């Protein structure tokens, strides 16, 4: 992961304490708060709040902490942070591997969701860029111009995610010699507001879209098919079409992982068991994200509805 921040700024760079919720202790091993990290996309807020609510039902003291997606690993290693509910195979694998190799961070298994994060375009753009979804279509000047804006012309414009998400898009453009300029959205909301606007106007747009999410459910479109990811692509410049540069392939795909400070299993063994048992699938999560982002419901209300509908399920996690 290229955008990780220095570990020296653990608390000042990545910790902002937010909501503190306390439930009457029933089965918790101690009263110390379990700190769950919150990030900047809707699905992660939902999974974290669900886990927090379930742990509260078991009597645990829960604290939610706003944290940078990659920089949070510094706090997980030291035990300043305790649980991160979504580390995506697509963008977080490098940081996860480094952290777990220290023995200070533990992978608690997959969340039940499978991640896709890749360049995406609306179906109406295929007429303007023949050859899609094959990535090589993007190498033509005509396709670049089809995706260009006044600011990037004659280069095409690719709207990437917030820089803190990682993903190596700038490196990918350079390694694959694509005539595109990467422009990073400031927030998750800005990213999809631009998609909404472009799609309604049938305007050119090429951007980072991920699943589980409402966007690929609502809009007709496709992900660009880059050379299939292999670990060597990110590590060995000799791999792939560009013998001198890494990242000449697409992003990896795979599970969304749950991770924790390695001390959780000893300090809160019941919580450790519950977090390990947590599981939701893509369709379920996509529906909840839709309720928040498109239907205007609050995360808290959507989580409360899920808790009410799934009592038997989450009760099994904390038995």
């Amino acid at each position: 992961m290229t955008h990780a921040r220095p570990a020296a700024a653990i608390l000042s760079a990545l910790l902002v304490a937010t909501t503190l919720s306390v439930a009457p202790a029933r089965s918790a091993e101690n009263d110390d708060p379990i700190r769950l990290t919150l990030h900047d996309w809707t699905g992660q807020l939902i999974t974290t709040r669900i886990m927090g609510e379930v742990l509260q039902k078991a009597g645990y003291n829960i604290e939610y902490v706003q944290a940078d997606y990659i920089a949070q690993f510094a706090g997980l290693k030291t035990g300043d942070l305790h649980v991160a509910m979504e580390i995506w195979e697509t963008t977080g694998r490098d940081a996860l591997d480094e952290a777990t190799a220290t023995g200070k961070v533990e992978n608690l298994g997959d969340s039940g969701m499978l991640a896709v994060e890749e360049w995406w375009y609306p179906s109406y753009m295929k007429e303007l860029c023949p050859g899609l979804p094959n990535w090589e279509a993007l190498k033509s000047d005509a396709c670049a111009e089809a995706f260009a804006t006044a600011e990037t012309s004659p280069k095409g414009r690719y709207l990437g995610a917030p820089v803190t998400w990682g993903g190596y898009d700038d490196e990918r453009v350079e390694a694959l010699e694509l005539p595109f300029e990467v422009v990073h959205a400031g927030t998750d909301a800005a990213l999809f507001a631009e998609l909404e606007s472009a799609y309604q106007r049938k305007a050119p747009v090429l951007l980072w879209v991920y699943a589980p999410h409402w966007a690929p459910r609502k809009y007709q479109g496709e992900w660009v098919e880059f050379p299939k990811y292999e670990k060597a692509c990110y590590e060995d410049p000799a791999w792939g079409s560009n013998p001198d540069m890494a990242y000449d392939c697409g992003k990896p795909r795979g599970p969304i992982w749950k991770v924790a400070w390695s001390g959780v299993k000893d300090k809160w063994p019941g919580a450790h068991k519950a977090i390990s048992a947590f599981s939701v699938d893509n369709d379920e999560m996509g529906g909840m994200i839709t309720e928040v982002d498109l239907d205007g419901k609050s995360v808290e209300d959507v989580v409360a509805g899920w808790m009410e509908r799934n009592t038997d399920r989450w009760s099994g996690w904390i038995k």
Side-chain angles (χ1 to χ4, degrees):
M1 184 64 61
T2 57
H3 300 294
R5 296 175 183 170
I10 294 173
L11 293 180
S12 61
L14 64 93
L15 299 184
V16 179
T18 57
T19 307
L20 179 65
S21 303
V22 180
R26 295 202 312 272
S27 59
E29 294 82 10
N30 58 73
D31 293 333
D32 291 346
I34 301 175
R35 299 189 185 99
L36 285 75
T37 60
L38 296 175
H39 304 319
D40 55 354
W41 66 94
T42 303
Q44 196 274 345
L45 301 179
I46 292 171
T47 54
T48 305
R49 293 282 179 172
I50 288 175
M51 192 72 256
E53 289 292 319
V54 171
L55 291 175
Q56 284 183 328
K57 295 292 187 182
Y60 290 98
N61 183 1
I62 298 302
E63 184 176 338
Y64 298 106
V65 179
Q66 194 72 37
D68 182 286
Y69 175 53
I70 298 302
Q72 70 177 326
F73 281 101
L76 289 167
K77 290 176 189 174
T78 61
D80 291 305
L81 300 174
H82 302 134
V83 179
M85 290 300 295
E86 291 195 16
I87 301 299
W88 290 45
E89 181 77 12
T90 47
T91 52
R93 188 75 217 195
D94 289 352
L96 175 60
D97 287 346
E98 188 279 329
T100 54
T102 67
K104 299 175 182 178
V105 173
E106 181 183 5
N107 186 335
L108 297 186
D110 70 80
S111 63
M113 296 179 286
L114 293 174
V116 179
E117 293 188 272
E118 197 54 271
W119 294 31
W120 186 97
Y121 58 89
S123 296
Y124 59 76
M125 289 303 299
K126 292 185 76 169
E127 295 182 12
L128 301 175
C129 184
L132 287 174
N134 188 310
W135 71 275
E136 291 182 298
L138 299 176
K139 297 186 76 169
S140 75
D141 292 338
C143 278
E145 190 61 41
F147 285 107
T149 64
E151 293 75 22
T152 67
S153 183
K155 289 185 176 182
R157 177 178 182 260
Y158 168 72
L159 182 63
V163 171
T164 56
W165 293 13
Y168 303 111
D169 283 323
D170 298 270
E171 294 86 348
R172 183 169 294 106
V173 165
E174 186 177 1
L176 292 174
E177 299 178 338
L178 298 177
F180 277 76
E181 182 175 330
V182 177
V183 178
H184 290 279
T187 65
D188 180 66
L191 185 71
F192 291 104
E194 182 143 352
L195 171 57
E196 176 84 26
S197 174
Y199 199 91
Q200 290 179 357
R201 295 178 290 113
K202 294 293 187 285
V205 66
L206 178 66
L207 76 166
W208 177 314
V209 167
Y210 61 88
H213 193 265
W214 55 262
R217 294 158 58 101
K218 180 177 180 179
Y219 303 121
Q220 290 190 346
E222 298 174 318
W223 279 289
V224 174
E225 295 177 357
F226 287 106
K228 188 175 180 180
Y229 168 84
E230 293 181 14
K231 192 173 183 180
C233 171
Y234 279 23
E235 298 177 350
D236 182 6
W239 185 99
S241 59
N242 188 332
D244 300 316
M245 296 191 70
Y247 308 109
D248 48 350
C249 63
K251 297 179 175 70
R253 299 186 180 192
I256 298 174
W257 305 101
K258 303 163 295 188
V259 304
W261 168 53
S262 59
V264 169
K265 62 181 178 295
D266 295 322
K267 188 169 184 177
W268 300 285
H272 182 272
K273 179 181 177 182
I275 298 160
S276 299
F278 173 99
S279 182
V280 298
D281 64 25
N282 280 33
D283 287 341
E284 189 175 20
M285 180 53 59
M288 288 191 282
I289 295 170
T290 298
E291 288 186 79
V292 174
D293 287 357
L294 300 186
D295 300 341
K297 296 182 180 179
S298 69
V299 169
E300 290 77 12
D301 286 347
V302 169
V303 169
W306 185 94
M307 293 288 291
E308 185 176 350
R309 294 190 305 271
N310 293 277
T311 303
D312 290 345
R313 184 167 157 198
W314 59 256
S315 294
W317 302 348
I318 56 177
K319 281 183 178 177

